[in-house]
């Protein structure tokens, strides 16, 4: 009798659980992006815009590194090209040169009570790895237009966005558009090496003037196609936060000596053991905002089983994390990652070094900090011979998470849907870093998004071989900026 009652109670509990799971699945993921009517395509000079972008690509504004931070002649040539390509922008907007090479354009609004918007871009590009030039379909700085694409370094990162927003402003000026909200175009010249000479100086200048911004929009996430698990539709991921970054030095000491009489516990052996522990014991994975926001927005488009699982994270979180951590791209969304990037130790083949060190590149999830990462590593190592220190250079905590209920986020989502009616819109987390960090203290909200259509195979083109952008997608990008400026500043 007791067994029968237990079986009935268990069956009822399972039925109730199943009902909760199905209810959550059915009600989850109603589209949260603002509804927007598809607009008639703006009459963009698509061929002319492609030619102007190609001309910008031909100017090799490469940031090589700290030892060679500026290509002065190339940057000045690009300034001249911008002036020739966008005459209305340069006749009507105020243009300032900041720290010799960065540019700040001000489009004065008619209503000074409205906080301005800032569109950020950068004119420098990453170098091409020596020896890989022959692997390109077209030379990386040829600016070729072929097969429906503009080819070359900077088309994706990020001369496409820089030229695209200037094309949009030029287009609006041709129609006598006057924004109510002032608009800044902030174009740095050294983002690829940290932005400290470019965007940082623009940010300082705006702060000294007492400028407070409604929002900023910079490069960042894109329109993914077939990248999010289980989602077939294109998804515009609007970055509402970016991971923090810190460089750590992990060093060890041990007995030195001659290579013919090796002692036990050498510095290199200790370092190897420490790195092995880190490899098999990464920081714990976790589902946090804004990644949870992203799944909430796209869950309705998932297949049945995926939708059941993601709509009931409270129960299936371990399964979700197990799946996401299997791929580097999705693992980075749910974990503070630690990558060993440099190892040093030894000066001569027959001399055992007394010191060895490794450089660890850490990218922190919102909610983690430099202090919490170092505390985790100290507990993991549990060895006084392993020293952990912050290396000179970049040390940025994870950014604040911007508000998806804000008017600025809604305007971005609405503008995107007006130009890309076939796609979904969702907030997301940027795992890299941008010039946004130099402006976010001035803004109510900061967003990181460029409507560049990317499939999984395209990801390797960033800073890689055969960087390119389709001519049709570039026209979509220009239309997006036209709509966004109209929707936020008109």
């Amino acid at each position: 009798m007791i067994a029968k009652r237990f079986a009935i109670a268990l069956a009822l509990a399972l039925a109730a659980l199943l009902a909760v799971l199905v209810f959550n699945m059915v009600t989850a993921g109603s589209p949260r992006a603002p509804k927007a009517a598809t607009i008639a395509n703006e009459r963009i000079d698509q061929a002319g815009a492609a030619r102007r972008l190609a001309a910008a690509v031909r100017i090799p504004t490469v940031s090589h590194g700290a030892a060679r931070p500026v290509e002065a002649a190339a940057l000045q040539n690009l300034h001249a090209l911008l002036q020739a390509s966008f005459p209305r922008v340069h006749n009507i907007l105020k243009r300032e040169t900041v720290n010799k090479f960065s540019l700040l354009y001000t489009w004065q609004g008619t209503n000074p009570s409205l906080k301005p918007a800032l569109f950020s871009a950068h004119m420098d590009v990453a170098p091409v790895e020596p020896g890989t030039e022959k692997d390109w379909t077209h030379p990386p700085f040829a600016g070729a237009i072929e097969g429906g694409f503009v080819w070359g370094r900077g088309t994706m990162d990020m001369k496409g966005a820089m030229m695209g927003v200037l094309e949009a402003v030029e287009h609006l000026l041709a129609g006598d558009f006057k924004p109510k909200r002032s608009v800044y175009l902030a174009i740095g010249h050294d983002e690829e090496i940290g932005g400290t000479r470019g965007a940082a100086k623009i940010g300082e200048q705006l702060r000294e003037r007492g400028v407070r911004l409604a929002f900023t929009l910079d490069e960042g996430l894109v329109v993914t196609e077939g990248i999010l698990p289980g989602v077939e539709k294109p998804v515009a991921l609007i970055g509402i936060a970016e991971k923090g970054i810190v460089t750590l030095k992990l060093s060890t000491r041990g007995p030195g000596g001659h290579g013919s009489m090796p002692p036990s516990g050498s510095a290199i052996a200790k370092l190897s053991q420490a790195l092995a522990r880190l490899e098999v014991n990464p920081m714990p994975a976790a589902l946090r905002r804004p990644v949870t926001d992203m799944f909430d927005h796209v869950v309705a488009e998932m297949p049945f089983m995926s939708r059941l699982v993601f709509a009931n994270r409270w129960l299936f979180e371990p399964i979700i994390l197990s799946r996401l951590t299997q791929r580097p791209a999705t693992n980075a969304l749910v974990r503070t990652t630690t990558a060993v990037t440099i190892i040093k130790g030894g000066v001569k083949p027959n001399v055992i070094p007394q010191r060895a060190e490794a450089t660890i590149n850490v990218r922190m999830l919102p909610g983690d900090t430099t202090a919490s990462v170092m505390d985790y590593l100290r507990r993991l190592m549990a060895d006084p011979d392993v020293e952990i220190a912050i290396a000179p250079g970049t040390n940025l905590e994870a950014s604040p998470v911007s508000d998806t209920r804000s008017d600025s986020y809604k305007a971005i989502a609405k503008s995107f849907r007006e130009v890309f009616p076939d796609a979904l819109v969702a907030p997301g987390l940027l795992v890299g870093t941008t010039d946004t960090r130099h402006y976010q203290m001035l803004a109510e909200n900061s967003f990181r998004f460029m409507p560049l259509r990317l499939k999984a195979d395209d990801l390797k083109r960033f800073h890689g071989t055969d960087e390119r952008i389709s001519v049709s997608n570039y026209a979509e990008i220009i239309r997006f900026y036209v709509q966004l400026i109209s929707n936020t500043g008109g």
Side-chain angles (χ1 to χ4, degrees), residues 402-431:
S402 294
D403 187 0
T404 57
R405 299 166 299 177
S406 64
D407 290 341
S408 50
Y409 178 87
K410 292 175 182 176
I412 294 170
K414 176 177 182 289
S415 301
F416 175 82
R417 292 292 299 276
E418 289 173 336
V419 180
F420 297 77
D422 61 322
L424 305 173
V425 180
L429 172 66
L430 182 64
V431 299

Side-chain angles (χ1 to χ4, degrees), residues 4 12 21 29 53 119 142 166 190 196 199 207 213 222 243 255 269 293 325 357 366 402 429 438:
K4 183 177 180 180
L12 290 174
L21 297 179
L53 174 58
F119 293 81
L166 287 166
D190 65 336
T196 56
R207 184 168 59 252
L213 302 167
V222 295
K243 295 180 82 170
D293 294 346
T325 54
E357 69 176 32
S402 294
L429 172 66
H438 301 301

Side-chain angles (χ1 to χ4, degrees), residues 2 25 27 41 84-85 102 115 127 145 178 205 207 215 236 270 276 286 297 323 379 381 398 424 453 461 466 481:
I2 295 176
M25 181 192 70
T27 58
N41 283 344
S85 300
S102 289
K115 291 181 179 178
I145 303 175
K178 294 180 176 61
Q205 189 162 299
R207 184 168 59 252
F215 72 94
K270 290 178 182 178
H297 280 70
R323 181 179 179 187
R379 286 186 284 107
M381 299 307 164
L424 305 173
R453 291 185 184 266
R461 299 180 190 274
D466 269 352
Y481 287 127

Side-chain angles (χ1 to χ4, degrees), residues 102-384:
S102 289
L103 298 174
L104 175 63
Y105 295 86
T106 304
W107 194 1
Q108 195 63 47
T110 59
N111 186 347
S113 68
L114 296 175
K115 291 181 179 178
L118 182 144
F119 293 81
S120 176
H122 62 87
M123 61 187 82
D124 64 320
V125 299
V128 175
E129 183 179 349
T132 66
E133 295 88 350
K134 64 182 183 304
D135 299 327
W136 288 65
T137 302
H138 301 279
F141 294 103
I145 303 175
E146 186 177 280
F149 292 90
V150 181
W151 299 77
R153 176 63 90 232
T155 49
M156 298 164 70
D157 182 14
M158 77 172 294
K159 285 180 178 175
M162 177 192 73
M163 297 294 286
V165 73
L166 287 166
E167 290 278 358
V169 174
E170 185 81 3
H171 176 86
L172 288 167
L173 290 171
D176 294 324
F177 177 84
K178 294 180 176 61
K180 293 180 181 177
R181 184 190 306 279
S182 292
V183 174
Y184 290 106
L185 308 180
I187 305 176
H189 72 272
D190 65 336
E191 189 276 343
E192 296 291 353
I193 53 175
T196 56
R197 296 174 176 87
K201 298 301 182 183
I202 297 175
E204 288 174 12
Q205 189 162 299
L206 293 175
R207 184 168 59 252
E208 289 169 0
R209 295 174 181 176
V211 172
R212 297 296 300 171
L213 302 167
F215 72 94
T216 68
L217 180 65
D218 198 356
E219 65 178 330
L221 298 179
V222 295
V223 184
T224 67
E225 298 186 17
I227 296 177
L228 281 184
V231 182
E232 294 183 2
K233 285 187 177 181
V235 182
L237 294 174
I238 301 172
I240 61 173
E242 62 185 63
K243 295 180 82 170
I245 177 172
V246 63
T247 302
L248 298 180
K249 291 286 187 184
L250 195 154
S251 58
T252 55
R253 293 185 180 275
H258 198 282
S260 63
M261 297 177 288
S264 62
S266 70
I268 289 180
K270 290 178 182 178
L271 181 65
S272 300
Q273 293 163 2
L275 296 179
R277 285 198 295 275
L278 181 59
E279 180 72 17
V280 298
N281 295 284
M283 291 195 67
L287 284 173
R288 300 176 187 167
R289 292 194 65 214
V291 173
T292 52
D293 294 346
M294 176 183 70
F295 287 123
D296 287 344
H297 280 70
V298 302
V299 65
E301 300 296 327
M302 291 181 175
F304 177 85
M305 284 306 299
S306 294
R307 186 176 179 184
L308 180 70
V309 169
F310 279 89
N312 292 280
R313 293 196 305 268
W314 61 275
L315 181 62
F316 296 116
E317 181 168 327
I319 295 174
I320 295 171
L321 288 174
S322 175
R323 181 179 179 187
L324 294 177
T325 54
Q326 291 174 9
R327 297 170 55 193
T330 49
N331 178 61
L333 296 177
V334 295
R335 193 192 303 277
T336 289
T337 57
T338 54
V340 182
T341 54
I342 302 172
I343 292 180
K344 295 180 180 179
V347 294
K348 197 170 182 286
N350 64 346
V351 175
I352 298 170
Q354 298 179 59
R355 183 177 176 84
E357 69 176 32
T359 298
I360 314 293
N361 183 256
V362 182
R363 304 296 178 117
M364 295 170 284
L365 282 180
D368 287 340
T369 64
T370 299
S372 68
V373 171
M374 294 183 70
D375 181 63
Y376 175 83
L377 292 179
R378 289 190 183 102
R379 286 186 284 107
L380 176 65
M381 299 307 164
D383 185 344

